[in-house]
Amino acid sequence: MMDKVAVNYEKMYYGFPVILVSFYDVNGLPNVTTISSSYTLKDMVVLGFSSKGYAINQIKEVHDFVINVPDRSMMDAISYCGANSGHELSKFDNLNLTHVKSQSVNAPMIRECPIAIECTLTDVIERDQFKGIINILAQIKGRYVAQEYLNDDGGLQSSEFDNVVYIGDGRKKSFRYLQ
């Protein structure tokens, strides 16, 4: 048995996948943000945002968005999209990311990401107990995977995927690669 020490961290991230959430803002302009608080079950997805962020306030208005799963080669984009506000600049233009119209929702996919999941907002959850945090529920409308990550039967070849996870204690951002 391992001895444990009580810690008083503001946050505790124990290895969440890093995703890029893309959307068209209320003016129809493509935008993207980095988040790491998510999970899916069947056709439902839950995402967690800071309530002050530009992205969540736009998604609450427009409803459609895409979860783009980047791989290790996109570390610069992951960091940039998480550190800059879409309210102030066009992240797609500054990073040379390619936004492509989705098929099932009114939101852009990111061509450079190997996985894209199209979603429509269904519920917004805000509680006084958790000030500054908004959780959203959404319905998954479509899933897309780059051909090179699929086997001959159309199944996901997880061993080929080189995604990034976020681990940290709220004081320092730490990214890890699964391979």
Side-chain angles (χ1 to χ4, degrees), residues 3 8 12-13 34 39 43 53 62 68 73-74 80-81 91 99-100 108 120 128 150-151 173 176:
D3 291 335
N8 190 19
M12 185 69 191
Y13 293 97
T34 303
Y39 77 89
D43 286 336
V62 300
N68 301 274
S73 71
M74 298 183 69
Y80 185 87
C81 289
K91 297 178 195 180
H99 54 91
V100 179
T120 298
D128 288 340
L150 299 176
N151 62 27
K173 290 183 180 179
R176 266 189 81 134

Side-chain angles (χ1 to χ4, degrees), residues 2-9:
M2 295 182 182
D3 291 335
K4 295 178 181 57
V5 176
V7 294
N8 190 19
Y9 299 150

Side-chain angles (χ1 to χ4, degrees), residues 133-144:
I133 298 170
I134 295 177
N135 288 294
I136 62 171
L137 278 80
Q139 183 175 11
I140 295 173
K141 300 289 189 161
R143 296 171 179 88
Y144 301 87

Side-chain angles (χ1 to χ4, degrees), residues 33-96:
T33 194
T34 303
I35 70 168
S36 61
S37 298
S38 69
Y39 77 89
T40 66
L41 291 171
K42 295 200 175 195
D43 286 336
M44 179 199 71
V45 64
V46 178
L47 302 179
F49 290 86
S50 165
S51 61
K52 296 177 186 167
Y54 179 73
I56 185 56
N57 289 299
Q58 292 295 304
I59 290 169
K60 284 166 59 175
E61 295 292 323
V62 300
H63 293 240
D64 288 344
F65 61 92
V66 176
I67 295 171
N68 301 274
V69 183
D71 64 17
R72 180 177 175 171
S73 71
M74 298 183 69
M75 283 304 303
D76 288 343
I78 290 167
S79 295
Y80 185 87
C81 289
N84 293 283
S85 173
H87 179 68
E88 299 166 359
L89 51 85
S90 171
K91 297 178 195 180
F92 276 100
D93 291 343
N94 288 342
L95 289 170
N96 294 318

